């Protein structure tokens, strides 16, 4: 500024009456001494391109010139009178541009506009004008050389000009110019414009701290309305367009009109600024109030003896658990809400402990945590072969299942259900699958379960509420893709209150639904599609059809005696020797003794009882060693076994030699394996009738009645007395009356027993049979063929009659099982009778 006054004059400006404004209007039109050399201004000017400035006539501005073309221009101008043209460059980022401060109210540089061709054509022509058209002629007042070879120069604005033509751009920018002299027309309109501009500027200056006191004082000393308009414009102008428009206006009234528009823009900006400031202040006030109240709450809780620090530690612990986990948006939102709720609850509140327990469960779950899965088929085969003997078909099915998962690279798929007698390795197969896949293993049994909350969890409103077994297991193993074994699914119960756990399993075991499994306790969907579900059962009869439909059944049949011998040698004996702390030299099991152990002490389909008997032998050896007797235990015959284990529970019996009238040998299947049944029939004089005994189930009673009706229908062919069935009462009994029996497969055996009775012909020795009988004499297929054949071999049966429609099952039975048996396939009862008598 050319002149500055103290604070007293600033106050005088604010209190100045209307006469001051009138003085501005009446000021002489002559220019100040700085501009008294108008007649001496050259018709052409050396140009000084500036990146940013708001220089007006009568104002001074310092500039920094980079070394090179501009500094040389400055030296040339100082040699020829010291007057040059300050012009804005269209490309504010050009290297040959001076840098100057801005006096804009925003404190920011005046925004430039990049020339469209500034980066396209590197070499400009003489006729091209790379600058804005309007600028200010200025005199060089002072020049200072800076240490970095730059030059600082102080310029004083003299007069507006417009570029008419660019004369030269090398070695200096030179242009012919037209000067724009100020035109002032006094009058009432001019006075009104000045007053309006001053009052608005004063109001803006009060609300804007960026307008300094020096600016306010400078207004008092400015003479002439034109310079007053230029000064206020220099404070308000924000962009190049406004600056160029203001320079182009030589008429003072036009400038004042433009100034009013600039003032209106500034008022609008300040209005928005005030609104934003008020909103921010409100938010800050709310945050300060919340902080103040929280501090008060902490002090109050401290006075009450509540440790706020412990609660914060608990909350931080919950947050730390979730750092590396990938949570769905719904779960993340729910947890954040629960943590916020926890921070406001009193520790004595019942809700506090409920919230703590809930957050402990939900943050401990493996959200998005998966163990790296292995799909190595070769490794899986090695694991199955190492840990399980036999079960060739089962192993192939498992490997096929894993192969599909390898190709899909996903865990989604069918649920496996292993079905077979106890002790056949169903649970251990699940462990082997987990090992082959490199997954964690979880097992829980649903046998006897009557509460569906064990599967789906309890509601949080109940005291002692917990999630279901699945969620508990996932928390325990810490991964989202374990192998989950549900044991004894055929023994699941139903509560008298109406609970049905089997129905609760439907969602869990359905691949189409378990991607969003909803546990009642969590009340959040949890993705269980990556979990490999395996179920086990001894029988399919008691599994609800909708549940069975969701599973792929793989049957595990019983072991033959030879398989049991090999399993005992390879797995069971080494395991029990190690478990009981004895060595192989202390227990010597000869082949004959081990076979007798299998046949007379462990006749079940699996090997669990066999392992238990071997364990008993090892414990005997351990007791002998502990007593100081190092003599080994020898097992080679029946006497040595009886001495150690007592009388055999399955003494040798040869039912194949039984040859009695009315007695037939049948083959039965139970959930513990195959068995041999003797069906006996007897007659007594008296009123005709038919009596059944032996704890027979409904289906078996129906089979007996069908057999009785079939045989009675043959009375004419047998040439029996016409009143035979009226004179005699028939009695059919199945021994082991305390053991419940059921099923249709004894129909053929019962008919053979009754036929033998009424004809008084004994059935040939060494023949056993199985099959369902119809009233017309057809023999229908039955199940458990392999187990029944194994039972026949154990009792020295030589011939077995099977339904013809069981030929498919017979083909799947190993040759070792069929070896030594004469198997005859029949489709009608009359065919059976031909082979039996």
């Amino acid at each position: 500024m050319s002149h500055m006054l103290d604070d007293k004059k600033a106050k005088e400006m604010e209190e100045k009456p209307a006469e001051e404004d009138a003085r501005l209007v009446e000021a002489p039109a002559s220019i100040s001494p700085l501009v008294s050399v108008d007649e001496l201004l050259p018709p052409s000017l050396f140009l000084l391109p500036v990146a940013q400035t708001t220089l007006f006539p009568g104002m001074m501005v310092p500039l920094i010139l980079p070394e090179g073309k501009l500094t040389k221009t400055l030296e040339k101008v100082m040699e020829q009178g010291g007057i040059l043209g300050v012009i804005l460059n269209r490309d504010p980022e050009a290297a040959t541009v001076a840098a100057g401060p801005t006096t804009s109210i925003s404190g920011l540089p005046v925004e430039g506009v990049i020339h469209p061709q500034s980066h396209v054509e590197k070499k400009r022509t003489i006729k091209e004008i790379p600058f804005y058209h309007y600028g200010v002629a200025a005199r060089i007042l002072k020049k200072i050389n800076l240490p970095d070879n730059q030059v600082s120069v102080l310029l004083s604005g003299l007069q507006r000009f417009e570029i008419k033509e660019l004369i030269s751009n090398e070695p200096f920018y030179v242009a012919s110019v037209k000067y724009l002299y100020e035109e002032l027309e006094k009058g009432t309109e001019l006075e009104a414009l000045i007053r309006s501009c001053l009052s608005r500027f004063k109001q803006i200056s009060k609300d804007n701290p960026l307008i300094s006191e020096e600016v306010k004082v400078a207004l008092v000393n400015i003479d002439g309305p034109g310079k007053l308009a230029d000064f206020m414009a220099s404070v308000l102008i924000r962009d190049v367009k406004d600056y160029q428009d203001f320079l182009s206006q030589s008429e003072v009234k036009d400038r004042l009109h433009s100034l009013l528009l600039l003032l209106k823009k500034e008022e609008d900006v300040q209005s928005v600024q005030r609104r934003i400031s008020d909103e921010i202040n409100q938010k800050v006030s709310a945050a300060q109030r919340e902080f103040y109240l929280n501090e008060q709450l902490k002090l109050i809780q401290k006075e009450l003896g509540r440790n706020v620090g412990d609660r914060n530690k608990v909350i931080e612990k919950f947050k730390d658990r979730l750092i590396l986990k990938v949570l769905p948006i719904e779960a993340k939102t729910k947890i954040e809400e629960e943590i916020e709720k926890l921070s406001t609850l009193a520790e004595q509140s019942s809700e506090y402990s409920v919230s703590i327990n809930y957050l402990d469960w939900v943050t401990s779950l493996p959200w998005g945590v998966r163990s790296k899965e292995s799909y190595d088929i070769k490794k899986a085969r090695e694991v199955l072969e190492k840990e399980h003997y036999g079960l060739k078909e089962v192993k192939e099915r498992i490997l096929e299942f894993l192969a599909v998962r390898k190709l899909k690279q996903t865990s989604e798929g069918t649920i496996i259900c292993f079905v077979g007698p106890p002790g056949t390795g169903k649970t251990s197969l699940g462990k082997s699958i987990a090992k082959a896949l490199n997954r964690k293993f979880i097992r829980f049994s649903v046998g006897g379960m009557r509460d569906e909350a064990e599967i789906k969890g309890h509601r949080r409103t109940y005291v002692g509420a917990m999630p279901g077994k699945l969620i508990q297991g996932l928390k325990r193993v810490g991964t989202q893709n374990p192998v989950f074994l549900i044991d004894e699914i055929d023994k699941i119960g139903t509560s008298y209150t109406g609970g049905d756990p089997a129905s609760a399993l439907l969602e869990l075991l359905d691949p189409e639904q378990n991607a969003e499994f909803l546990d009642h306790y969590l009340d959040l969907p949890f993705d269980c599609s990556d979990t490999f579900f395996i179920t086990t059962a001894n029988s399919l009869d008691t599994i609800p059809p909708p549940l069975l439909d969701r599973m792929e059944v793989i049957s595990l049949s019983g072991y033959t005696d030879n398989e049991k011998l090999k399993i005992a040698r390879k797995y069971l004996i080494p395991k029990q020797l190690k478990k009981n702390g004895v060595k192989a030299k202390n227990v010597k099991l000869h082949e004959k003794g081990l076979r007798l152990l299998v046949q007379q002490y462990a006749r079940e389909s699996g090997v669990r009882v066999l392992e238990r008997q071997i364990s008993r032998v090892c414990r005997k050896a351990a007791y002998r060693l502990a007593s100081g007797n190092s003599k080994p235990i020898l097992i080679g015959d029946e006497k040595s076994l009886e001495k150690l284990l007592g009388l055999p529970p399955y003494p040798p019996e040869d039912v194949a030699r039984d040859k009695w009238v009315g007695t037939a040998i049948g083959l039965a299947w139970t959930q513990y394996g195959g068995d041999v049944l003797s069906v006996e029939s007897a007659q007594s004089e008296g009123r005709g009738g038919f009596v059944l005994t032996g704890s027979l189930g409904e289906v078996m009673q129906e089979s007996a009645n069908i057999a009785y009706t079939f045989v009675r229908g043959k009375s004419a062919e047998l040439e029996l007395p016409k009143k035979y069935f009226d004179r005699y009462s028939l009695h059919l009994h199945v021994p082991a009356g305390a053991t419940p029996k059921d099923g249709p497969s004894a129909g053929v055996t019962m008919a053979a027993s009754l036929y033998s009775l009424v004809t008084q012909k004994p059935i040939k020795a060494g023949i056993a049979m199985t099959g369902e009988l119809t009233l017309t004499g057809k023999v229908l297929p039955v199940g458990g063929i392999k187990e029944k054949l194994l039972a026949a071999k154990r009792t020295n049966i030589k011939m077995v009659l099977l339904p013809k429609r069981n030929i498919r099952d017979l083909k799947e039975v190993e040759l070792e099982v069929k070896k030594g048996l004469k198997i005859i396939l029949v489709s009608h009862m009359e065919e059976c009778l031909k082979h039996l008598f």
Side-chain angles (χ1 to χ4, degrees), residues 74-232:
L74 189 67
E75 294 173 357
K76 184 71 174 176
V77 170
M78 293 181 70
E79 293 174 359
Q80 299 185 6
I83 298 176
L84 48 72
V86 179
I87 197 81
L88 284 181
N89 198 310
R90 291 184 182 273
D91 184 0
E93 296 181 0
T96 56
V97 174
T102 178
T103 56
S104 169
I105 195 171
S106 64
L108 300 174
V110 175
E111 299 177 3
V113 179
I114 298 176
H115 192 273
Q117 297 179 344
S118 60
H119 295 291
V120 178
E121 297 180 7
K122 295 184 179 180
K123 188 174 180 180
R124 296 185 176 96
T125 62
I126 296 295
K127 294 182 179 180
E128 180 188 3
I129 301 180
F131 316 112
Y132 287 98
H133 289 198
Y134 295 95
V136 175
R139 180 183 295 279
I140 301 171
L141 299 181
K142 190 173 184 180
K143 171 193 170 189
I144 300 175
N145 294 324
L146 301 177
D148 54 356
N149 295 326
Q150 296 189 76
V151 174
S152 175
V153 61
L154 180 65
L155 301 177
S156 173
L158 299 177
Q159 187 61 265
R160 289 173 166 78
F161 68 81
E162 178 184 4
I163 296 177
K164 296 168 61 178
E165 183 182 4
L166 183 64
I167 300 173
S168 171
N169 63 352
E170 290 295 340
F172 309 108
Y173 293 115
V174 181
S176 64
V177 298
K178 172 187 176 183
Y179 294 100
L180 305 176
Y181 295 101
E182 187 175 278
E183 299 176 11
L184 179 63
E185 182 181 348
K186 300 178 183 180
T188 306
E189 183 182 358
L190 180 64
E191 181 179 354
L193 286 170
I194 292 175
R195 288 186 180 184
S196 180
C197 290
L198 281 172
S199 62
R200 289 198 174 193
F201 190 84
K202 289 176 184 178
Q203 184 62 40
I204 290 173
S205 64
K206 290 179 182 179
D207 296 337
N208 196 321
L210 295 175
I211 300 178
S212 64
E213 290 296 326
E214 289 80 1
V215 173
K216 299 175 184 177
V217 171
L219 286 174
V220 177
N221 296 299
I222 296 177
D223 54 345
K227 292 182 179 179
L228 183 67
D230 288 346
F231 179 77
M232 286 189 284

Side-chain angles (χ1 to χ4, degrees), residues 1-14 16 20 23 212-223 231:
M1 305 298 171
S2 60
H3 302 284
M4 293 293 177
L5 297 180
D6 56 12
D7 294 342
K8 183 178 179 181
K9 290 186 178 181
K11 293 179 181 178
E12 291 176 357
M13 181 196 73
E14 294 179 356
K16 176 174 63 65
E20 177 65 24
R23 185 182 66 81
S212 64
E213 290 296 326
E214 289 80 1
V215 173
K216 299 175 184 177
V217 171
L219 286 174
V220 177
N221 296 299
I222 296 177
D223 54 345
F231 179 77

Side-chain angles (χ1 to χ4, degrees), residues 23-95:
R23 185 182 66 81
L24 290 171
V25 177
E26 296 171 0
S30 61
I31 61 175
S32 64
L34 283 175
V35 199
S36 61
V37 290
D38 281 347
E39 295 82 359
L40 302 178
L41 290 176
S44 61
L45 290 173
F46 288 90
L47 299 181
L48 186 68
V50 180
Q52 57 201 28
T53 190
T54 51
L55 177 64
F56 286 97
M59 296 175 56
M60 289 185 290
V61 64
L63 294 177
I64 303 295
L65 276 62
E67 181 183 13
K69 186 173 184 177
L70 296 186
T71 56
K72 292 179 181 179
T73 301
L74 189 67
E75 294 173 357
K76 184 71 174 176
V77 170
M78 293 181 70
E79 293 174 359
Q80 299 185 6
I83 298 176
L84 48 72
V86 179
I87 197 81
L88 284 181
N89 198 310
R90 291 184 182 273
D91 184 0
E93 296 181 0

Side-chain angles (χ1 to χ4, degrees), residues 564-565 568 573 589-604 609-617 635 637 641 645 648-650:
K564 287 183 179 180
L565 290 172
I573 294 176
L589 277 164
H590 296 298
E591 188 70 21
K592 182 180 177 183
L594 188 58
R595 187 174 291 275
L596 288 172
L597 182 65
V598 169
Q599 292 176 345
Q600 298 184 18
Y601 290 85
R603 192 180 283 182
E604 87 291 352
V609 176
L610 176 60
E611 184 177 9
R612 194 179 301 128
Q613 297 294 357
I614 293 172
S615 178
R616 287 181 64 190
V617 173
I635 298 177
D637 54 16
L641 274 173
L645 304 177
Y650 305 102

